[in-house]
Amino acid sequence: MIIKKYTLKFIGGKDNKIYLRYFATIEKGVGKTYDKPIDAKLLKDDLVKLNANNLGGIVQKECNRVKELMVNDIEMFNTKNNTYPTPDQLRIYNNVIYSQFDIEYHINQFYKSLKIKSSSKVTYGFTLKQFKEYFIYNLYSFTISEMISQTVINEFGKWLVTRRKFIDTIVKKDISKISIYNSQMILFKFLNYVAEEYNLSKIDDFLSRPQSGQKYHISEEDVQRILDFKPQSLPQKEVLDIIRINKYVGLRISEILTIDKRNVRINGVCEIDFKEHKKDRPRTVVIVDKPAVKIIVDHIKHYYNTKNPNLLFHFNDRSPFNKMLQVICKEVFKEEKVLVYKQTEYLNDYTEYLKYKAISSHAFRRYAIERNVNEYGIETARTLSGHSDYATIIKHYSDFLNANDLKKKLLKK
């Protein structure tokens, strides 16, 4: 059954209440209606002016608002189904989208629909948990239709900043503008998922990514100082071995810690097969540095992981790795400090950090990628590091050359 025409008209009811009547011809000579109540009253003599849009005042504005929403719902239904809704279909649709927003239900449904890696799901879950807290105190009476708006996303971002200012009095931790943006972007995706589920108009992408602060770019000299450290335990030796390997490659720490011995081939050089963690597709990394190849061979032959014999290293997560790395860096750098540019809600300038606190596993990934871009070009660097597109590697790793590399090029060394 295809419905090609409909009419909308304001009518009066008992006690001078106003209704917006939707009329559609279902079959030849058979018509049906759906009357949507409006929170306003009007004398019957003024209905003609109301329908002619000549009444003016608050009542006219409210009735026009309801009519505009109704037209939008009808046209959205027509776009998707190539027919206008029957009055019964419109009644059901209206009752759903103008019902109170069920935060628990919609978050659960959205979370089930996500096809992203586990670590990203954790980030989404944390943001949606924050949004649930914001919703309970600020949006609990909102309907589904009212939730789908830029205003909700903007106000959530402001609330995150205010909330952080309160927490800051306790933990003394600032929040970056990029963190706010990332949280708002997750909410943007969530609300547009809900919009699609109910055939509502999606929110246009209006968020503007802010400039992010810099990460600490470790120097060649500092890398060597760390590698000169004399390890006091097997975990410390393993941390240094991993750095020696990765300073030529730029793998993600999660990739290094899950290297499977069965995916390693030694034939003068070392070839390692990976299932690319973010894109779930295979790639092969080639390591040609002889000391790095020797370390890998030694670990295959002489080191045994009791929990998982097929893994090359003992660390099962980046957290214990980074904790041990920080123990080493604290011994090496002691009270030395560095300046790192930060852009947060409170700060847009360089701030001072203890050097050992600024160094994590990712510092060596950045170190390797920057040097591989300089030495071999972007194509080789991104193949080793696992970046699927040029945009990311250009944005984060192909900036100005560091002073040592620049001097070498200028002096042709």
Side-chain angles (χ1 to χ4, degrees), residues 128-140 142 147 151-160 163 187:
L128 293 174
K129 182 179 179 181
Q130 289 181 309
F131 178 66
K132 180 181 173 182
E133 182 182 342
Y134 172 72
F135 174 88
I136 290 170
Y137 289 105
N138 299 277
L139 309 174
Y140 63 91
F142 271 42
M147 287 294 299
T151 302
V152 170
I153 298 172
N154 282 329
E155 293 302 314
F156 175 58
K158 293 177 185 177
W159 177 82
L160 286 174
R163 185 171 180 267
L187 179 58

Side-chain angles (χ1 to χ4, degrees), residues 310-339:
N310 292 320
L311 293 185
L312 194 63
F313 299 107
H314 291 83
F315 288 103
N316 59 1
D317 187 76
R318 73 178 67 195
S319 179
F321 175 90
N322 279 319
K323 286 180 181 178
M324 186 55 66
L325 173 62
Q326 195 164 96
V327 169
I328 294 171
C329 290
K330 188 173 182 179
E331 285 290 319
V332 173
F333 300 112
K334 297 182 171 45
E335 298 300 312
E336 292 181 32
K337 296 180 179 179
V338 292
L339 291 175

Side-chain angles (χ1 to χ4, degrees), residues 1-3 23-32:
M1 175 173 49
I2 304 296
I3 299 175
F23 178 88
T25 302
I26 308 304
E27 298 171 355
K28 189 174 182 180
V30 179
K32 287 190 176 183

Side-chain angles (χ1 to χ4, degrees), residues 289-304:
D289 179 70
K290 290 183 179 179
V293 173
K294 184 178 183 303
I295 290 169
I296 294 172
V297 172
D298 286 344
H299 275 267
I300 292 175
K301 290 182 177 180
H302 305 301
Y303 291 83
Y304 186 77

Side-chain angles (χ1 to χ4, degrees), residues 128-229:
L128 293 174
K129 182 179 179 181
Q130 289 181 309
F131 178 66
K132 180 181 173 182
E133 182 182 342
Y134 172 72
F135 174 88
I136 290 170
Y137 289 105
N138 299 277
L139 309 174
Y140 63 91
S141 63
F142 271 42
T143 65
I144 295 172
S145 180
E146 290 172 323
M147 287 294 299
I148 313 302
S149 75
Q150 291 184 7
T151 302
V152 170
I153 298 172
N154 282 329
E155 293 302 314
F156 175 58
K158 293 177 185 177
W159 177 82
L160 286 174
V161 174
T162 304
R163 185 171 180 267
R164 173 55 67 184
K165 286 180 179 178
F166 170 73
I167 295 174
D168 186 51
T169 62
I170 302 171
V171 299
K172 303 297 181 187
K173 187 175 181 181
D174 199 355
I175 188 167
S176 67
K177 291 182 179 180
I178 195 69
S179 294
I180 298 294
Y181 166 82
N182 289 337
S183 295
Q184 288 180 306
M185 182 54 73
I186 289 173
L187 179 58
F188 168 78
K189 293 177 181 178
F190 167 60
L191 293 181
N192 273 345
Y193 166 82
V194 175
E196 187 172 10
E197 288 295 297
Y198 292 97
N199 295 323
L200 295 170
S201 297
K202 288 186 176 182
I203 305 167
D204 292 331
D205 189 358
F206 68 99
L207 294 170
S208 178
R209 183 185 179 91
Q211 179 185 350
S212 58
Q214 294 176 350
K215 302 293 185 181
Y216 176 57
H217 292 255
I218 193 168
S219 68
E220 188 172 353
E221 178 187 356
D222 283 347
V223 171
Q224 193 56 52
R225 287 174 66 186
I226 293 171
L227 293 177
D228 288 340
F229 175 79

